[in-house]
Amino acid sequence: MKIAITTWHEGPNAGTFFQCYGLYHYLKNRNHDVTVIDYIHQPDDILNRGFMYYFTQLIPLIKNKINRNKKRKEEAILTKQFANEIRKRDERVSKFWQMILFTNRITTQADFDKLNDKFDAFIVGSDQVWNATMLNRRYFLDYVKPGKIKAAFGPSVGVGSVLPTQRKAYKTYVKDFNLVAVREKLLCDILNEELPHIKAKHLLDPSMLIPREEYLKMAKLPEGIEAGSYLLCYFAPNTKHQEEVVRKYAKEKNLRIVVMAMFGYSWTMKNDIIICPDPSEFLGLISNAAAVFTSSFHCTIFSILFHRNLFVFERKQLSKSADINQRYTEQLSTYGITHRYIPWGQSLNDEILKPIDYNHVENIFQLRLSESKKFLNQLF
């Protein structure tokens, strides 16, 4: 079967790469002809957010704009300071994207219409393509003609609450999908309330479709890093407190601190090993860490996959609708390890430090993996 995947597929973020590669790789291994649609998010394709969105979010939106402008200035300074490292990282990452077959760049309505002549089925991939605050009609496959298979596997709602206008958009654009599986239970529940006939499923992120052993073969530790000798950081904190928590733990355990630098703040952590990782280094650094401190969704699930000593920081948000913490807390809850969540401003304590029962975690993971494969196999 000729299958087209629509999802995010640009940038240096390893999580973005693996969610795309995971679905692509799995379907290819089932002998399908798979291609990723080369579409880049366009402002004109964003659905109208509605009056209530702006009315209820006015103050948070203003604060967010101020913070975003400030952050952009800081990022610009840091990007210039570490331009050489970032350039080398981006060059390495671009080689990984070459492992995936893409269409030509799709920009016009005519381009989208022609895709119907080339593919039998269309599937929306993961990441925040169904983020309630920036719903994009193209990620709802609005161009797919009747008679073609329309499916979704792993889209993320991205935020902690969904407004009535956003629920209406989901109902309007998802009603004619053949099968739907999403990343968060929040969105799964909403879809089943609004569209009970589609029987939406709450399944794995597609990055988890690739066997652990295969990822370990891809994994690479950067030069000078010894397995098990370091604590890994991958987060975007708004406060020095998280850094203090990390430093105290590293000192007590006699561990080096290795920072995977993706966000501006990471570059400011002094006396640490700062690394701009490509996807293979992302895997290597997580799988060989003595402990992982993060506020990243994909770093969280890969740490669980590799049975790491994981700690997840809460991110401070301006409003409930902008709260992305449910993406992490849901994962911890699913696997019975909510005690490894560090609330905003809190330090480590005996409860948080309780060991993770990875035998229990693995049993749950294997069950969810089986359900995820069964879902895809019944469609393709």
Side-chain angles (χ1 to χ4, degrees):
M1 183 180 291
K2 292 185 176 181
I3 303 172
I5 297 173
T6 299
T7 188
W8 289 357
H9 61 78
E10 277 203 340
N13 191 310
T16 298
F17 170 76
F18 284 121
Q19 63 83 20
C20 182
Y21 179 70
L23 184 57
Y24 175 84
H25 184 273
Y26 182 80
L27 295 175
K28 286 282 288 184
N29 278 357
R30 288 186 58 79
N31 297 316
H32 294 295
D33 185 353
V34 188
T35 308
V36 175
I37 296 174
D38 188 3
Y39 164 74
I40 305 301
H41 186 83
Q42 298 297 320
D44 290 345
D45 292 330
I46 298 294
L47 301 179
N48 191 323
R49 292 183 172 96
F51 170 76
M52 286 304 296
Y53 172 77
Y54 294 100
F55 178 75
T56 59
Q57 303 298 310
L58 182 60
I59 294 177
L61 285 170
I62 293 173
K63 288 182 178 179
N64 189 50
K65 186 171 183 178
I66 294 172
N67 290 340
R68 188 164 59 244
N69 289 338
K70 180 182 178 182
K71 189 177 293 185
R72 281 175 179 168
K73 292 178 181 178
E74 294 173 349
E75 291 282 354
I77 295 172
L78 292 166
T79 299
K80 185 176 181 180
Q81 184 178 350
F82 295 94
N84 191 48
E85 290 89 340
I86 293 172
R87 178 185 58 78
K88 290 180 179 178
R89 186 270 315 276
D90 290 349
E91 289 174 354
R92 298 196 309 274
V93 172
S94 67
K95 294 178 181 178
F96 283 85
W97 285 111
Q98 293 172 19
M99 298 165 64
I100 297 172
L101 177 65
F102 288 92
T103 65
N104 293 327
R105 177 60 58 89
I106 304 298
T107 56
T108 67
Q109 184 61 47
D111 292 336
F112 280 106
D113 290 340
K114 290 177 182 177
L115 293 172
N116 288 275
D117 300 327
K118 299 178 180 179
F119 298 100
D120 307 306
F122 297 80
I123 183 167
V124 180
S126 187
D127 236 319
Q128 297 182 56
V129 290
W130 284 4
N131 185 306
T133 65
M134 52 180 183
L135 296 174
N136 182 321
R137 63 194 179 105
R138 300 308 188 185
Y139 294 131
F140 286 112
L141 307 178
D142 72 323
Y143 54 88
V144 176
K145 295 179 180 179
K148 300 288 184 178
I149 294 174
K150 291 175 68 173
F153 187 80
S156 170
V157 67
V159 292
S161 65
V162 176
L163 298 172
T165 52
Q166 296 162 343
R167 291 178 70 108
K168 184 178 180 180
Y170 287 123
K171 183 176 182 179
T172 300
Y173 283 90
V174 182
K175 64 184 179 183
D176 61 347
F177 273 61
N178 298 91
L179 283 175
V180 176
V182 293
R183 207 171 76 177
E184 285 96 22
K185 188 175 183 298
L186 169 66
L187 181 54
C188 184
D189 290 343
I190 289 172
L191 292 176
N192 283 326
E193 289 169 8
E194 299 291 343
L195 300 165
H197 69 278
I198 67 170
K199 298 179 180 178
K201 301 290 185 181
H202 171 221
L203 299 175
L204 290 175
D205 183 81
S207 61
M208 297 291 100
L209 293 170
I210 294 180
R212 181 187 294 113
E213 296 74 21
E214 192 166 332
Y215 273 140
L216 289 174
K217 290 178 182 177
M218 294 175 64
K220 180 180 71 175
L221 266 179
E223 187 176 348
I225 307 296
E226 182 181 346
S229 68
Y230 61 91
L231 175 158
L232 181 66
C233 294
Y234 189 52
F235 50 76
N238 307 87
T239 174
K240 289 283 186 180
H241 178 70
Q242 291 177 339
E243 184 179 341
E244 292 170 0
V245 171
V246 167
R247 292 198 182 284
K248 181 179 179 182
Y249 184 91
K251 184 177 181 180
E252 291 174 352
K253 302 297 182 181
N254 193 30
L255 297 170
R256 302 167 77 185
I257 297 176
V258 175
V259 181
M260 288 200 292
M262 179 65 66
F263 310 102
Y265 179 88
S266 301
W267 300 104
T268 67
M269 293 182 69
K270 305 299 182 184
N271 305 315
D272 301 311
I273 303 170
I274 308 291
I275 296 172
C276 280
D278 62 34
S280 65
E281 292 168 332
F282 176 87
L283 296 174
L285 286 165
I286 294 175
S287 61
N288 288 287
V292 178
F293 285 78
T294 188
S295 59
S296 154
F297 171 81
H298 281 103
C299 188
T300 296
I301 62 173
F302 273 95
S303 296
I304 292 171
L305 179 69
F306 294 134
H307 294 188
R308 294 298 87 195
N309 188 18
L310 170 68
F311 300 90
V312 179
F313 280 116
E314 178 184 16
R315 287 197 199 182
K316 187 176 183 180
Q317 302 299 328
L318 298 174
S319 70
K320 185 177 180 181
S321 65
D323 186 0
I324 63 173
N325 288 297
Q326 55 86 23
R327 292 190 291 156
Y328 327 120
T329 56
E330 183 177 288
Q331 293 299 312
L332 300 180
S333 177
T334 296
Y335 295 107
I337 53 174
T338 54
H339 63 288
R340 285 308 183 97
Y341 187 62
I342 308 174
W344 182 257
Q346 187 170 316
S347 299
L348 299 180
N349 55 41
D350 290 342
E351 178 63 24
I352 294 173
L353 289 168
K354 285 182 180 178
I356 297 174
D357 181 357
Y358 270 114
N359 288 326
H360 176 71
V361 169
E362 186 65 19
N363 288 336
I364 296 172
F365 175 79
Q366 289 300 329
L367 178 61
R368 300 193 75 216
L369 178 61
S370 176
E371 292 173 346
S372 297
K373 290 180 177 180
K374 182 179 179 181
F375 172 88
L376 287 171
N377 296 350
Q378 70 175 317
L379 187 59
F380 302 120

